[in-house]
Amino acid sequence: MALTREEREQFLAEPHVAALAVASGDGDRAPLSVPIWYEYEAGGDVRILTGRTSRKAELIAAAGRFTLLVDRLEPTVRYVSVEGPVIDTRPATRADLEHVSARYLPAEKVAGYVDFAWENHGEQMVITLRPERWVSSDLGQV
């Protein structure tokens, strides 16, 4: 059964690890699909952080759009997929990294992770997606 707008937005706002998919732009390769942390508030836009020179950043820039898929298996099988255009890109700040990390890590782990990531993951960027197409379902207790 498809989710209502409110249900899908609430579900996407929860801190799930998403699968990001973007066209590879190459007829010999399938679309790139990788796990990623993201930020979303109901009714807003989706933000991801990624390396400025990463393959996914290059492919997103070329395609101008991407898809995120989040799912869970318990207490019911539920998923939300959102696809849309990139509406903004900018250099990431340490505050951006802290904010997204706090969605996924216990509070006592955030500072250590941010210190490590800021020093070791290279220059990051924030990419913002405007939700345009949604696919969602809750399969109930299967």
Side-chain angles (χ1 to χ4, degrees):
M1 171 178 275
L3 302 176
T4 66
R5 178 180 178 167
E6 292 78 21
E7 289 171 328
R8 72 184 188 208
E9 288 181 354
Q10 179 183 353
F11 185 73
L12 190 61
E14 296 170 3
H16 303 282
V17 174
L20 180 145
V22 62
S24 69
D26 183 350
D28 294 338
R29 294 186 74 171
L32 175 69
S33 181
V34 294
I36 195 163
W37 290 353
Y38 68 94
E39 293 181 289
Y40 175 75
E41 292 180 18
D45 298 322
V46 179
R47 289 171 302 284
I48 63 165
L49 273 72
T50 191
R52 186 180 59 79
T53 60
S54 68
R55 181 165 182 255
K56 71 178 153 282
E58 292 172 1
L59 292 175
I60 290 169
R65 61 191 317 109
F66 62 94
T67 299
L68 288 182
L69 170 68
V70 297
D71 65 346
R72 71 165 193 219
L73 299 178
E74 294 179 0
T76 62
V77 176
R78 177 178 277 199
Y79 70 88
V80 169
S81 176
V82 61
E83 182 257 336
V86 172
I87 61 162
D88 187 47
T89 60
R90 64 175 174 77
T93 65
R94 189 176 178 98
D96 292 321
L97 183 57
E98 290 169 352
H99 194 261
V100 73
S101 299
R103 282 178 48 90
Y104 293 93
L105 299 173
E108 67 275 7
K109 301 283 187 184
V110 172
Y113 173 78
V114 168
D115 287 343
F116 173 82
W118 194 253
E119 294 298 319
N120 295 289
H121 289 173
E123 194 174 341
Q124 300 283 301
M125 64 188 301
V126 176
I127 302 173
T128 304
L129 171 144
R130 169 80 28 90
E132 187 174 82
R133 293 185 182 93
W134 295 77
V135 178
S136 63
S137 185
D138 190 321
L139 304 177
Q141 303 280 351
V142 291

